[in-house]
């Protein structure tokens, strides 16, 4: 199994690149943002609770997202690996994920961290807000709140994985295909098929 965390601030291209990566490597895409939006669409109690946080650009409580990921791991026992997008987002989530993967006798192979300037993030998200229907893309104040949450809580995730030497920084500006090339080259260097 080869498991990847695609890491980066809001609007850095995690979702865009995930679509291409899962197609190339056959990984199971686990985006906590997508999972939460689908709970909201289905009006579940979990979705209704999460919506209060998401609409303000705040992180949803750790136990909610950890529970979602735990059941997603259990319901996908036979995949070649997972691509985590938007998770983990706090140090507590990182520790919980490592424990869950250890129970499954696997681990994170690499953390690919996309680097994008703040001006570009805001431009991309405001632009997407014109058509996405995502309430958290609609106004600049909420977008800025998401970026503040990222600096205050989520940047710790990269620090956490650095102690295991798993973090690789990748330029997240350029064309989608250029960034995809950089990501696949990092993955291929670390995920060589075992030869005897
Ligand atoms: P989530 O859905 O994860 O959103 P996010 O991390 O804020 O970021 P986005 O999904 O908006 O951006 P992205 O990096 O995927 O970029 P994308 O490819 O879409 O989380 C939403 C909320 O859910 C959080 O605020 C929180 O409340 C909650 N949540 C989720 N996970 C949680 C967790 N683990 N713990 C607690 N709470 C959690 O690209 C963005 C735009 O840029 C698109 O329009 C795209 O077309 C464009 N674009 C992409 N690449 C390029 C490029 N190379 N050049 C130009 N434009 C590009
Ligand atoms: Mg996304």
């Amino acid at each position: 199994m080869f498991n990847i965390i695609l890491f980066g601030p809001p609007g850095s291209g995690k979702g865009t690149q995930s679509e291409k990566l899962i197609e190339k490597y056959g990984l199971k895409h686990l985006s906590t943002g997508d999972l939460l939006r689908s709970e909201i669409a289905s009006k579940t109690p979990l979705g209704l609770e999460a919506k209060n946080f998401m609409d303000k650009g705040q992180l949803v409580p750790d136990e909610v997202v950890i529970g979602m990921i735990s059941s997603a791991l259990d319901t996908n026992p036979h995949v070649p690996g997972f691509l985590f997008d938007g998770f983990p987002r706090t140090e507590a989530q990182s520790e919980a994920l490592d424990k869950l993967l250890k129970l499954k006798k696997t681990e994170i192979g690499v953390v690919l961290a996309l680097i994008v300037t703040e001006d570009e993030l805001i431009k991309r998200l405001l632009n997407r807000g014109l058509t996405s229907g995502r309430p958290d893309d609609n106004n600049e104040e909420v977008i800025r709140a998401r970026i503040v949450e990222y600096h205050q809580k989520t940047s710790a995730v990269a620090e956490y994985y650095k102690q295991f030497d798993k973090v690789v920084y990748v330029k997240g500006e350029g064309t989608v295909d250029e960034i995809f090339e950089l990501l696949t080259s990092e993955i291929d260097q670390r995920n060589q098929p075992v030869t005897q």
Side-chain angles (χ1 to χ4, degrees), residues 105-133:
K105 304 204 171 8
T106 184
E107 61 178 3
I108 292 299
V110 67
V111 179
L112 298 167
L114 294 166
I115 310 282
V116 177
T117 61
E118 198 160 310
D119 284 352
E120 173 72 12
L121 297 174
I122 290 168
K123 197 174 88 186
R124 286 184 189 179
L125 293 175
L126 281 173
N127 186 43
R128 186 176 60 188
L130 299 174
T131 53
S132 70

Side-chain angles (χ1 to χ4, degrees), residues 14-15 37 85 134:
K14 302 183 295 294
R37 280 184 289 277
D85 158 4
R134 268 180 64 166

Side-chain angles (χ1 to χ4, degrees), residues 8-17 31-34 36-37 50 53-55 57-62 65 85-90 93 114 120 124-125 127-128 134 136-137 146 172-176 179:
S12 55
K14 302 183 295 294
T16 304
Q17 295 295 334
S31 156
T32 40
D34 290 349
L36 289 166
R37 280 184 289 277
F53 295 95
M54 291 168 75
D55 285 356
Q58 295 169 356
L59 292 187
V60 172
D62 285 336
V65 286
D85 158 4
F87 179 90
R89 252 178 154 100
T90 62
Q93 291 180 24
L114 294 166
E120 173 72 12
R124 286 184 189 179
L125 293 175
N127 186 43
R128 186 176 60 188
R134 268 180 64 166
D136 59 345
D137 284 348
R146 288 160 64 191
E173 292 186 40
T175 68
V176 169
I179 298 159

Side-chain angles (χ1 to χ4, degrees), residues 6-194:
L6 191 53
F7 182 78
S12 55
K14 302 183 295 294
T16 304
Q17 295 295 334
S18 290
E19 293 300 327
K20 294 172 71 74
L21 291 170
I22 54 165
E23 193 178 323
K24 181 170 166 86
Y25 296 103
L27 301 170
K28 173 71 187 170
H29 183 201
L30 291 183
S31 156
T32 40
D34 290 349
L35 291 170
L36 289 166
R37 280 184 289 277
S38 111
E39 296 279 343
I40 291 174
S42 311
K43 297 195 166 65
T44 65
L46 189 157
L48 294 175
E49 186 199 349
K51 188 174 178 1
N52 290 325
F53 295 95
M54 291 168 75
D55 285 356
K56 289 184 234 150
Q58 295 169 356
L59 292 187
V60 172
D62 285 336
E63 55 276 17
V64 174
V65 286
I66 292 168
M68 274 186 352
I69 288 290
S70 175
S71 53
L73 294 182
D74 287 343
T75 47
N76 291 280
H78 303 300
V79 293
F82 293 96
L83 175 62
F84 297 97
D85 158 4
F87 179 90
R89 252 178 154 100
T90 62
E91 196 172 330
Q93 291 180 24
S94 312
E95 287 169 356
L97 176 61
D98 279 1
K99 279 192 194 142
L100 289 169
L101 292 177
K102 207 167 176 185
L103 287 173
K104 304 203 174 295
K105 304 204 171 8
T106 184
E107 61 178 3
I108 292 299
V110 67
V111 179
L112 298 167
L114 294 166
I115 310 282
V116 177
T117 61
E118 198 160 310
D119 284 352
E120 173 72 12
L121 297 174
I122 290 168
K123 197 174 88 186
R124 286 184 189 179
L125 293 175
L126 281 173
N127 186 43
R128 186 176 60 188
L130 299 174
T131 53
S132 70
R134 268 180 64 166
D136 59 345
D137 284 348
N138 265 340
N139 86 51
E140 192 166 331
E141 216 173 296
V142 175
I143 291 172
R144 286 193 186 276
R146 288 160 64 191
I147 294 174
V148 168
E149 285 282 83
Y150 172 81
H151 288 301
Q152 287 183 346
K153 297 174 185 163
T154 305
S155 55
V157 171
E159 297 309 311
Y160 173 85
Y161 284 103
K162 268 188 209 167
Q163 60 180 320
F164 309 113
D165 209 16
K166 288 188 174 172
V167 183
V168 180
Y169 288 96
V170 174
K171 189 168 171 248
E173 292 186 40
T175 68
V176 169
D177 286 342
E178 281 164 358
I179 298 159
F180 182 64
E181 282 296 314
L182 297 174
L183 293 171
T184 54
S185 128
E186 294 296 344
I187 293 168
D188 294 342
Q189 282 173 45
R190 284 165 183 77
N191 186 27
Q192 297 291 342
V194 181

